[in-house]
Amino acid sequence: MMASYPSSSIHLTCLRCPSGSPCISSASPFLRFFNSTIPGPYLKKHPQILSSKPPRRRSFVTSTSTRTQMAATEEKPISQDRMLVFVPPHPLIKHWVSVLRNEQTPCPIFRNAMAELGRLLMYEASRDWLPTIMGEIQSPMGVASVEFIDPREPVMVVPILRAGLALAEHASSILPATKTYHLGFSRDEEILQPTLYLNKLPDKFPEESRVLVVDPMLATGGTIVAALNLLKERGIDNNQIKVISAVAAPPALQKLSENFPGLHVYTGIIDPTVNDKGFIIPGLGDAGDRIFGT
């Protein structure tokens, strides 16, 4: 039995690509985004780099409903009370999602594909989000104006065990300064409800923290909602969180949209349905089992 969740019940916002055309997923009419990030904490070696600068954000979107074909409409400011879902259009993301889908992919390659997909999604999510420092340094040929990521404000990475470990594997290579806190959930396969078995979150997060929550599969939404509620209890607002997932489905996105306005979700692809056992269809199977060969 397959439970169908019509995407038209989820109202999100589509961000325009730099080309000016709407970013439309071939699998689902949700959102996409482009990216960049610059590594390099050099405060100790370059004390003259002192002025901090807040992260920049794009300021215009196209408002739409998933009932439409996302035709071009007039631009309007980003709504701060609407959850946004981004499906980046990069061909490498499509490639690694395809490798993950293949039932013939062996465990080592599956794990590597998950890690590479996580690297790309975190790269996408970090655009216009990281605090930067501007200043001047001496290059071999002269004085140069420079901009670095501010290492005094590390990004918190929260992988949800087990499978989140692989998706977050390259976080430290993407982000110059990170702290990692682990959450472990198991899911009752009968009632499809999560049970927390490991919580390494701090009692209180510093103000202005930026948190990447990494969970490969957003299916029924029980686990990710429970994880975000733990973050909110520790002082994190919705707009301080970005969720990274390999595959998402409408039930989870609906719950997130209802409970966490202003949240941003970055996923490799959105699949249409979840079956009665809580698995995304077509999905990629049990991500934890395929990563660890169990």
Side-chain angles (χ1 to χ4, degrees):
M1 177 180 177
M2 191 175 295
S4 177
Y5 298 85
S7 61
S8 59
S9 64
I10 305 174
H11 299 284
L12 302 173
T13 301
C14 183
L15 206 67
R16 282 183 174 273
C17 294
S19 65
S21 59
C23 304
I24 304 173
S25 166
S26 59
S28 179
F30 285 82
L31 314 182
R32 298 174 172 182
F33 197 50
F34 288 90
N35 63 311
S36 68
T37 185
I38 307 172
Y42 292 105
L43 280 181
K44 291 184 179 179
K45 292 185 178 180
H46 304 284
Q48 68 271 34
I49 303 174
L50 296 176
S51 62
S52 62
K53 181 174 133 181
R56 300 180 303 275
R57 293 184 181 275
R58 293 184 179 272
S59 59
F60 294 99
V61 297
T62 297
S63 180
T64 187
S65 164
T66 54
R67 289 181 179 275
T68 72
Q69 296 301 314
M70 293 197 174
T73 58
E74 78 255 16
E75 294 179 335
K76 57 180 66 177
I78 291 176
S79 173
Q80 297 300 317
D81 59 357
R82 174 171 291 187
M83 187 186 82
L84 301 180
V85 179
F86 302 90
V87 180
H90 200 293
L92 283 173
I93 289 178
K94 297 176 183 178
H95 169 81
W96 292 119
V97 168
S98 300
V99 172
L100 293 170
R101 284 205 193 277
N102 188 354
E103 67 177 358
Q104 301 300 319
T105 299
C107 287
I109 296 177
F110 186 93
R111 182 184 180 95
N112 179 71
M114 186 68 76
E116 290 300 322
L117 179 61
R119 183 205 301 270
L120 293 167
L121 290 172
M122 286 183 281
Y123 185 81
E124 297 276 356
S126 63
R127 173 191 267 280
D128 297 339
W129 196 53
L130 302 176
T132 60
I133 304 169
M134 299 184 69
E136 292 184 342
I137 61 172
Q138 182 70 41
S139 82
M141 303 302 294
V143 176
S145 297
V146 294
E147 184 172 355
F148 295 112
I149 302 302
D150 190 344
R152 299 167 296 183
E153 300 184 36
V155 175
M156 317 299 177
V157 181
V158 181
I160 296 179
L161 308 185
R162 306 179 284 168
L165 292 173
L167 194 60
E169 185 172 321
H170 293 314
S172 61
S173 69
I174 290 293
L175 304 167
T178 60
K179 291 184 178 180
T180 302
Y181 301 99
H182 297 91
L183 282 176
F185 286 93
S186 60
R187 188 173 72 167
D188 188 307
E189 298 302 330
E190 295 296 326
I191 61 174
L192 304 181
Q193 293 300 313
T195 299
L196 179 68
Y197 66 85
L198 178 69
N199 182 354
K200 291 296 184 179
L201 297 179
D203 293 334
K204 186 75 173 178
F205 281 94
E207 291 185 12
E208 307 301 325
S209 292
R210 295 165 178 81
V211 184
L212 289 176
V213 181
V214 184
D215 188 4
M217 312 299 290
L218 303 182
T220 62
T223 297
I224 189 64
V225 167
L228 296 190
N229 282 332
L230 289 173
L231 291 174
K232 292 191 72 173
E233 291 172 4
R234 288 156 174 79
I236 298 296
D237 292 332
N238 299 341
N239 58 10
Q240 296 174 256
I241 303 170
K242 293 194 178 183
V243 174
I244 305 294
S245 75
V247 184
L253 296 179
Q254 183 70 52
K255 287 182 181 178
L256 290 173
S257 180
E258 292 170 354
N259 291 281
F260 305 98
L263 180 71
H264 288 186
V265 177
Y266 288 75
T267 185
I269 198 165
I270 300 173
D271 280 349
T273 59
V274 172
N275 67 15
D276 60 341
K277 294 184 178 180
F279 283 92
I280 298 173
I281 304 299
L284 47 84
D286 188 304
D289 286 350
R290 296 191 66 190
I291 288 167
F292 297 102
T294 56

